Amino acid sequence: MASLTPAPTSSYRGRLAPSPTGYLHVGHARTFFAAWQRSRNAGGTLVLRMEDLDPDRSLAEYAEAALEDLRWLGIRWHEGPDKGGPFAPYAQSRRHAVYLAEWRRLLAGGFIYPCRCSRKDLAAALSAPHESAHGKLEPLDDEPIYPGTCRPKAGESPAPSHSAAIDLENPGTSNWRFRVVDGEVIEFDDLNLGPQRFQAGVDFGDFVVWRRDGVPSYQLACVADDAAMGITEVVRGADLLKSTARQILLNRALGFANPSWFHCSLVVDHNGRRLAKRHDALSLRALRQRGLTPMNILSAELPVEK
Ligand code: GLU
């Protein structure tokens, strides 16, 4: 067992960040395996962080299943909810204070403003917005570009005039959005996919950092945790490239160094659609029950039928 989790010999820190909103599938397996391999090759530390941010969609059963599926694939980690570690807790549902502190810093820096717009936009903010293989967002998977209804006018302080009424312990009387600079270009070099370029106001708009029901958004929680846990490289699916651009803006606002980015190409089904958690037949459990091995699942040829 010790050989599977060799003691780290470098300062590399990677992470596995499953969301327990369904069973892991082939796409997750490939991304998580890549994250594990890269951390091993670097002699680094791998952290498992359970992204159970959304109280309505996260289930303990899926969290348990994710750990079990990852172990079955042969993936091992050094720190996590099951192992503890210096940056515990490793479940987002238990890290509220970390997110609240970062929300306060965004507020103090004038980066965010309160917003009273629709519930629909806000539902999308809690989960990582996954894109289809063709680069098109599935409906509701990402926030629509915000039309700016509640955005302070140019020259107006983003912190509202009634700021004395803001409860610093509880942002939850409004939703809060990060104000982007329309037209700003965000560029980064992806270690797998090469140079990337996105434009604020075109690829994404003012995005939610906190919902009025008291839950921080995926973008804020992710950046806060990656910084707090000392993550030096983020390995994730290519469907999160635009999230990375937003997270670069949050890192800048919060004074965090950017980690390196490695985005894995997406696994698609026979119709060219991204595998989603709703493709139950392609869940690791279902494939395992059908007798497939981790080798089958990780090999380039996807041995599954629709
Ligand atoms: N919990 C996210 C997901 O499952 C991970 C996103 C990330 O790697 O930042 O999609």
Side-chain angles (χ1 to χ4, degrees), residues 15-21 24 28 31-32 49-52 92 126-130 218-219 222 226 234-237 239-240 243-244 247 261 277:
R15 57 18 164 227
L16 309 165
S19 294
T21 55
L24 299 187
H28 296 115
T31 301
F32 290 139
R49 179 170 79 228
M50 193 54 69
E51 300 214 320
D52 52 356
Q92 291 192 324
L126 283 195
S127 45
H130 292 289
Y218 155 71
Q219 307 294 356
C222 187
D226 285 339
V234 168
V235 177
R236 57 165 59 129
D239 51 345
L240 292 174
S243 289
T244 296
Q247 293 177 15
W261 313 102
K277 285 189 180 146

Side-chain angles (χ1 to χ4, degrees), residues 76 83 89 104 117 125 171 191 193 216 269 279 281 283:
R76 298 290 185 275
K83 303 200 123 183
R104 269 194 222 111
C117 292
L191 293 174
L193 302 177
D269 68 13
H279 288 67
S283 72

Side-chain angles (χ1 to χ4, degrees), residues 107-244:
L107 179 69
F111 293 106
I112 55 175
Y113 62 88
C115 167
R116 302 193 181 277
C117 292
S118 89
R119 296 174 75 88
K120 196 170 121 212
D121 295 6
L122 298 164
L126 283 195
S127 45
H130 292 289
E131 278 180 56
S132 77
H134 309 299
K136 288 186 71 175
L137 288 168
E138 295 173 17
L140 272 186
D141 268 9
D142 200 356
E143 305 174 56
I145 298 209
Y146 183 59
T149 323
C150 300
R151 190 190 233 197
K153 307 256 172 322
E156 234 174 64
S157 162
S161 49
H162 57 276
S163 52
I166 296 173
D167 180 352
L168 293 178
E169 290 307 315
N170 175 19
T173 52
S174 306
N175 308 296
W176 291 86
R177 284 183 189 275
F178 184 91
R179 182 181 182 137
V180 302
V181 177
D182 288 327
E184 178 176 2
V185 171
I186 294 106
E187 290 178 300
F188 60 94
D189 277 321
D190 186 75
L191 293 174
N192 188 35
L193 302 177
Q196 302 294 317
R197 185 180 195 275
F198 296 98
Q199 200 172 14
V202 175
D203 292 309
F204 56 86
D206 290 356
F207 53 92
V208 174
V209 296
W210 203 282
R211 299 199 322 186
R212 75 167 70 99
D213 61 2
V215 189
S217 74
Y218 155 71
Q219 307 294 356
L220 178 61
C222 187
V223 157
D225 283 344
D226 285 339
M229 295 177 177
I231 300 302
T232 60
E233 182 176 281
V234 168
V235 177
R236 57 165 59 129
D239 51 345
L240 292 174
L241 281 163
K242 281 186 196 173
S243 289
T244 296

Side-chain angles (χ1 to χ4, degrees), residues 16-24 28 32 48-55 57-72 77 80-83 90-94 277 284-285 288:
L16 309 165
S19 294
T21 55
Y23 291 116
L24 299 187
H28 296 115
F32 290 139
L48 190 144
R49 179 170 79 228
M50 193 54 69
E51 300 214 320
D52 52 356
L53 194 61
D54 185 344
R57 292 175 59 222
S58 301
L59 288 184
E61 181 197 329
Y62 290 137
E64 272 308 307
L67 299 188
E68 194 194 292
D69 288 347
L70 289 168
R71 287 189 201 109
W72 175 72
W77 48 94
D82 55 332
K83 303 200 123 183
Y90 291 92
Q92 291 192 324
S93 57
R94 299 181 53 210
K277 285 189 180 146
L284 297 183
R285 334 226 98 192
R288 181 172 160 188

